[in-house]
Amino acid sequence: MCGIVGIYFKNPQKAFSLALIAAGGVQHRGQQGAGVAVKTEKDLIVTRSDGLLRQIFPNSVISSYDLLSKWILVHCRYGTYGDYDERNLQPCGAKNKDSMAALVHNGEFTSIDNLKKKLPFTLPEGISDTYVFTKFFEISPGKTWEEKLINSLKEIKGSYSLIIGAENEMFAARDNFGIRPLILGEIENGFIFASETHALDKINANIIREISQAEIL
């Protein structure tokens, strides 16, 4: 399960409410916690908590997140691997020198124990497969986030749909078998990725196509 949404703007705009409306279309896919990542001109803001989107982001706090944004990620969690603590909520953050990225994931990576062995540090018990992959993605070879994503996915097995925001770019990726859904749509000032077309319908986005098997876009 899990519901993921990523909205990318050609020109930065204030659209936090729009992102929450779209994510409401996939809330049924995960109700054990939620989070957002908002890329502003200067900062990457990440907030995660237990509960539903409307509980975490009531009308009284939406204005504090409604900033000029290049992209916004939203995740609604249905846990399949790892404990139910805050560390396992998404989006997950990654760092490459002075550059930050955020990642949301629907699916399940396999052979996590083998992946942990490739990390140069020990992770706590009960950590999620998404967290493990994010750390692997972070240390993978590559000067750019695109190179790191390509190289990390070469080493990964499992079923996944990923949306990654990194600086002024957004990437979407789907596993070799296309097990987890991921849809691309277009809005007036950009594009949206989401787990289901219902998210696109809620903001009147035009459906373009599914992300293909083994595709990185």
Side-chain angles (χ1 to χ4, degrees):
M1 299 297 283
C2 284
I4 59 176
V5 169
I7 303 182
Y8 177 87
F9 305 109
K10 297 175 183 177
N11 300 300
Q13 73 176 71
K14 295 181 178 181
F16 190 70
S17 294
L18 184 78
L20 291 183
I21 292 170
V26 296
Q27 176 76 87
H28 61 280
R29 296 181 63 89
Q31 301 182 14
Q32 297 166 343
V36 302
V38 181
K39 178 64 175 74
T40 69
E41 183 179 5
K42 296 181 179 180
D43 299 306
L44 174 57
I45 301 168
V46 179
T47 300
R48 303 167 295 199
S49 181
D50 295 330
L52 303 176
L53 289 168
R54 65 175 180 271
Q55 296 169 325
I56 304 169
F57 304 103
N59 291 335
S60 58
V61 305
I62 285 178
S63 60
S64 61
Y65 293 92
D66 198 26
L67 307 169
L68 283 174
S69 307
K70 185 62 178 175
W71 51 258
I72 302 173
L73 298 178
V74 189
H75 186 270
C76 301
R77 185 172 192 246
Y78 180 95
T80 56
Y81 190 102
D83 295 339
Y84 296 101
D85 62 38
E86 187 174 353
R87 294 172 305 179
N88 290 334
L89 295 174
Q90 300 180 42
C92 291
K95 188 174 182 179
N96 179 23
K97 296 181 180 179
D98 295 327
S99 178
M100 295 293 296
L103 178 153
V104 291
H105 166 228
N106 166 219
E108 189 168 1
F109 297 112
T110 58
S111 304
I112 287 299
D113 289 340
N114 291 332
L115 194 60
K116 288 180 180 179
K117 295 176 182 178
K118 297 180 180 181
L119 297 175
F121 44 79
T122 301
L123 294 173
E125 292 294 324
I127 208 71
S128 73
D129 58 336
T130 307
Y131 187 96
V132 177
F133 170 76
T134 302
K135 293 304 176 185
F136 183 71
F137 166 58
E138 188 177 72
I139 67 165
S140 292
K143 294 182 180 180
T144 67
W145 287 112
E146 181 178 358
E147 290 174 352
K148 284 180 171 290
L149 180 59
I150 292 170
N151 289 326
S152 61
L153 292 182
K154 287 178 180 178
E155 304 294 325
I156 294 299
K157 295 181 180 180
S159 60
Y160 58 82
S161 286
L162 293 167
I163 310 173
I164 299 171
E167 295 301 325
N168 290 321
E169 297 177 295
M170 180 170 283
F171 303 93
R174 200 172 177 200
D175 67 74
N176 291 344
F177 304 101
I179 296 172
R180 295 295 189 270
L182 193 58
I183 311 298
L184 169 65
E186 187 172 14
I187 57 176
E188 183 176 350
N189 181 33
F191 300 92
I192 176 173
F193 298 104
S195 297
E196 296 185 16
T197 56
H198 187 43
L200 281 65
D201 294 339
K202 289 179 73 69
I203 62 170
N204 296 317
N206 295 318
I207 299 170
I208 298 177
R209 63 176 177 86
E210 282 191 279
I211 304 304
S212 300
Q213 297 171 206
E215 179 181 14
I216 299 174
L217 181 63

